[in-house]
Amino acid sequence: MTEPKKTPVYVTQPLLPPLQEFIPYLQQIWDSKWLTNNGPYHQQLEQELCSCLGVKHIALFTNGTIALITALQALRISGEVITTPYSFVATAHSLLWNGIKPVFVDIDPVTLNLDPEKIEAAITPQTTAIMPVHCYGHPCDTSRIQKIADNYGLKVIYDAAHAFGVQSHGGSVLNYGDLSVLSFHATKVFNTFEGGAIVCHNAKIKQRIDHLKNFGFVDEVTVAAPGINGKMSEINAAFGLLQLKGIEEALQKRQAIDIRYRKGLAGIKGIHCLSDAGEKVANYAYFPILVQPDYPLSRDALYQKLRDNGIYARRYFYPLISDFPMYRGMPSAAHSNLPVAKKVAEQVICLPIYPELSSEQVDSIIALIAR
Ligand SMILES: Cc1ncc(COP(=O)(O)O)c(C=O)c1O
């Protein structure tokens, strides 16, 4: 007799409230016939996110990538920007879309974020900004990065795609730097199907961003910049408002899974769980492990073993951004410049983590790794 096939477990599963709870929002949109262009749900979500995240201004976008591209436009960044190779490819792509040259700097071996120690050596007369990533939602060393930026007159734009709700001891991590960019993609802790946002600190820059995301229109007859269409629709914004109601509970469930993994994996030789970066409030967006040489299987063999058992973990972030064809010819992409990132990319596996992942599923993943 063959065993019944188990349902596959993916690295994440989107947070979806019951469909019937979304119907009244849709009804409202149908009644008002206001589908996009700064509609009432869009305005309400911006307000609610400001208070929920503890930030001053937020501009909603159609996705995080367009928000990153626009953030660079808003500050007129050009020339070279220092960034991390250990991220999702959109981080560096946003630079190329602006005709900016990314300069890759290695990561810290503990936090896996841009290593502030190595930033200064990469600064040239062409450098205009630093684009660090709060990788896995673990805060960067924001004070050291700011100090370097101030010394050299550079802007700082954080790719905070993973950092929804994260607080360091000074409050929301989104308040550091000149701008921070969030992603509300389906795979993120908080999703609007597709979506994103720019967090900024004053009304003037918020206004410029709002113009840029609406083709550059200032009023009916004035176009101040070659803007783009980056507006979030009313459907996405309404869904975001509904999502917000369940976010606290979702974060608590994620935390419980994180604790369970850490406990279960603690004694396994060769498996290293990434610690947090000392944040006051974490969001448990990912559960990365490093498969080290004293584990009996290679990283890829463990990855395959998990797949063979229906566990679709992901190798975030492998390959490094700097290894993709459009980047690998750049001097800063050389492996000798990025030894830590290279090593980590060859060891990492992100295990499944999402609110509906059951304790039994977590235990069976731990058992597979332990066996
Ligand atoms: C670090 C990082 N930056 C940028 C993005 C791009 O966001 P989006 O998919 O919303 O365009 C993502 C994820 O998708 C990401 O993980």
Side-chain angles (χ1 to χ4, degrees), residues 132-172:
V133 178
H134 300 298
C135 192
Y136 307 130
H138 298 157
C140 292
D141 190 338
T142 49
S143 57
R144 284 181 73 190
I145 291 171
Q146 196 57 54
K147 211 163 166 204
I148 297 167
D150 290 344
N151 283 345
Y152 289 86
L154 306 176
K155 301 282 189 203
V156 183
I157 298 175
Y158 281 102
D159 181 338
H162 301 172
F164 186 92
V166 174
Q167 287 184 32
S168 60
H169 289 275
S172 170

Side-chain angles (χ1 to χ4, degrees), residues 300-317:
D300 288 346
L302 175 59
Y303 169 76
Q304 191 56 47
K305 176 179 164 179
L306 291 169
R307 284 180 78 90
D308 292 343
N309 286 275
I311 310 298
Y312 294 87
R314 294 293 298 270
R315 290 167 291 186
Y316 294 145
F317 289 99

Side-chain angles (χ1 to χ4, degrees), residues 15 164-165 189 245-260 281-285 353-357 359:
L15 185 60
F164 186 92
V189 165
K245 296 182 197 281
I247 195 71
E248 271 308 316
E249 190 188 336
L251 290 174
Q252 279 163 16
K253 286 182 177 170
R254 284 178 174 274
Q255 181 179 24
I257 294 165
D258 182 280
I259 292 170
R260 201 171 185 93
V281 179
N283 69 2
Y284 312 97
I353 185 164
Y354 50 88
E356 298 313 317
L357 189 68
S359 302

Side-chain angles (χ1 to χ4, degrees), residues 63-65 68 87-88 90-91 133 159 161-162 183-185 188 195 286:
N63 62 57
T65 305
L68 277 171
S87 178
F88 183 64
T91 309
V133 178
D159 181 338
H162 301 172
S183 164
F184 304 148
H185 182 255
K188 300 294 189 277
Y286 297 85

